[in-house]
Amino acid sequence: SDKIVLKLAHGLDPSHPVHKGMLYMAEQFEKKSGGRATIQVISGGVLGSERDNIEQLQKGSLAMTKVSAAAMEIFIPEMAVFGLPYIFRDHDHFWGVLNSPVGRELLTMGNEAGLRGLCYYDSGSRNFYTTQKPILSPDDLRGLKIRVMESRTAMDMIRVMGGEPTPISWGELYTSLQQGVIDGAENNPPSFYTSRHYEVCKYFSMDEHTRIPDVLLINADVWESLPPEVQRWLQEAADESSVYQRKLWAIETEKALEEVQKRGVEVSYPDLKPFVEKVQPLIQRYNDTPVGEFVKRIQETQ
């Protein structure tokens, strides 16, 4: 019979741990199927932006793509839960939740929009970095302009912590930091390193306020059209690639922190309790909402 070829496009660089994770998935999938099925991985935004890829996926001109969970909020409002600060106790709790029925349920909630989630990839934790002084407690954010993504949750978080949220596009961020238009930003260590923001921000604070995973998606009709054993191979390959990618991410994170310190960045590990306390009013706003229900279930997960 004809070989099944699934086309997967995304915007990341080929050196990115998520891309390497997907290549690993493609290998495992081909192996499990005895060469009858394969995934063609197209990296680097060749087929457009994340938004373009989602549209292509919905049309069916693309079988699979990767998005940030933040981009899924439009289709699955409950995914906003990932944008809330300190709902995960730490990295282990985060992965425990993602691999639990709670995490699995969130993945399948996109089915109605034609987007089925297959697995999560690690995108680390987001942390503050600044030009003038380290952020060791929420008080240090007072009066500081902090760049955030165009996300209501992210802006609310900075506000409740005492800072001034300033949405600026990723491309303009370096110059804005350099010129003092803003005082800091927040991201994971690998992004801080590859963006060279360490050249203008000499303080990096591992306050780990949010953990927003990447989500691997497949067009729901494409998924339904696959024979059951091919579905099984694909899901297994996706799950295995998630474990593999997480190891690569941990290595990249450690390397990034080492490299920025070599370049004169002071990396701090503040006490998280004051940060956690400060954001509680924000989390309580979601009580009695679908997002709030997920917060409860996440906190009850061991």
Side-chain angles (χ1 to χ4, degrees):
S1 69
D2 289 347
K3 186 168 181 170
I4 295 168
V5 181
L6 301 173
K7 204 156 70 168
L8 192 181
H10 65 83
L12 300 169
D13 189 81
S15 66
H16 197 288
V18 167
H19 177 69
K20 291 177 179 170
M22 290 170 181
L23 292 182
Y24 182 82
M25 169 176 65
E27 265 166 48
Q28 299 310 107
F29 183 48
E30 192 148 9
K31 223 178 270 176
K32 290 172 193 291
S33 72
R36 281 180 293 161
T38 188
I39 298 165
Q40 181 194 359
V41 188
I42 305 159
S43 67
V46 171
L47 295 184
S49 67
E50 183 172 69
R51 189 164 289 179
D52 296 331
N53 292 164
I54 294 176
E55 282 170 15
Q56 292 155 1
L57 195 71
Q58 286 185 299
K59 280 200 214 95
S61 58
L62 193 58
M64 300 168 78
T65 192
K66 177 250 26 133
V67 297
S68 166
M72 287 302 291
E73 284 181 39
I74 321 157
F75 308 103
I76 309 172
E78 289 82 355
M79 280 259 184
V81 76
F82 290 117
L84 293 178
Y86 299 112
I87 52 163
F88 302 103
R89 291 187 287 279
D90 51 32
H91 176 267
D92 290 345
H93 179 230
F94 175 63
W95 280 102
V97 169
L98 294 188
N99 292 325
S100 78
V102 181
R104 293 278 165 202
E105 188 178 321
L106 278 167
L107 279 183
T108 55
M109 288 176 87
N111 282 0
E112 284 165 33
L115 309 169
R116 183 188 179 88
L118 286 174
C119 71
Y120 296 100
Y121 290 123
D122 206 341
S123 194
S125 62
R126 296 182 76 92
N127 311 273
F128 292 117
Y129 55 88
T130 41
T131 55
Q132 300 300 319
K133 59 169 189 181
I135 305 300
L136 303 177
S137 79
D139 293 344
D140 294 326
L141 287 165
R142 204 171 291 148
L144 294 194
K145 289 193 172 71
I146 302 290
R147 181 265 176 181
V148 284
M149 296 182 290
E150 277 283 2
S151 141
R152 206 194 68 200
T153 327
M155 292 173 73
D156 288 346
M157 175 186 68
I158 301 298
R159 251 183 232 115
V160 79
M161 283 192 193
E164 295 176 24
T166 314
I168 288 175
S169 77
W170 180 247
E172 289 166 32
L173 180 48
Y174 186 103
T175 324
S176 303
L177 287 163
Q178 199 177 30
Q179 294 171 352
V181 175
I182 46 169
D183 304 297
E186 45 92 59
N187 218 318
N188 58 56
S191 295
F192 176 60
Y193 174 51
T194 56
S195 63
R196 306 179 77 96
H197 291 168
Y198 59 79
E199 293 173 351
V200 282
C201 293
K202 293 302 180 187
Y203 303 98
F204 192 93
S205 172
M206 286 292 279
D207 69 294
E208 305 188 312
H209 44 262
T210 47
R211 294 172 190 274
I212 304 176
D214 277 342
V215 180
L216 179 67
L217 298 173
I218 185 167
N219 171 297
D221 294 331
V222 170
W223 170 264
E224 291 304 330
S225 74
L226 298 173
E229 77 269 23
V230 180
Q231 289 181 346
R232 198 181 70 242
W233 296 327
L234 181 56
Q235 188 61 64
E236 281 174 9
D239 292 338
E240 287 163 20
S241 77
S242 172
V243 175
Y244 175 80
Q245 184 269 343
R246 204 182 319 162
K247 288 184 189 133
L248 294 184
W249 183 267
I251 294 164
E252 287 290 312
T253 300
E254 207 168 305
K255 183 186 124 184
L257 290 170
E258 273 169 29
E259 291 296 333
V260 299
Q261 285 177 90
K262 277 185 206 156
R263 289 160 172 79
V265 171
E266 186 183 300
V267 176
S268 318
Y269 295 83
D271 176 16
L272 304 186
K273 276 196 211 74
F275 290 93
V276 175
E277 280 162 19
K278 198 85 177 173
V279 301
Q280 288 317 301
L282 170 58
I283 305 220
Q284 280 152 14
R285 281 182 217 168
Y286 289 87
N287 291 355
D288 308 318
T289 69
V291 171
E293 281 306 301
F294 272 98
V295 171
K296 248 204 325 252
R297 288 172 64 189
I298 285 167
Q299 288 170 341
E300 286 162 6
T301 305
Q302 286 312 305

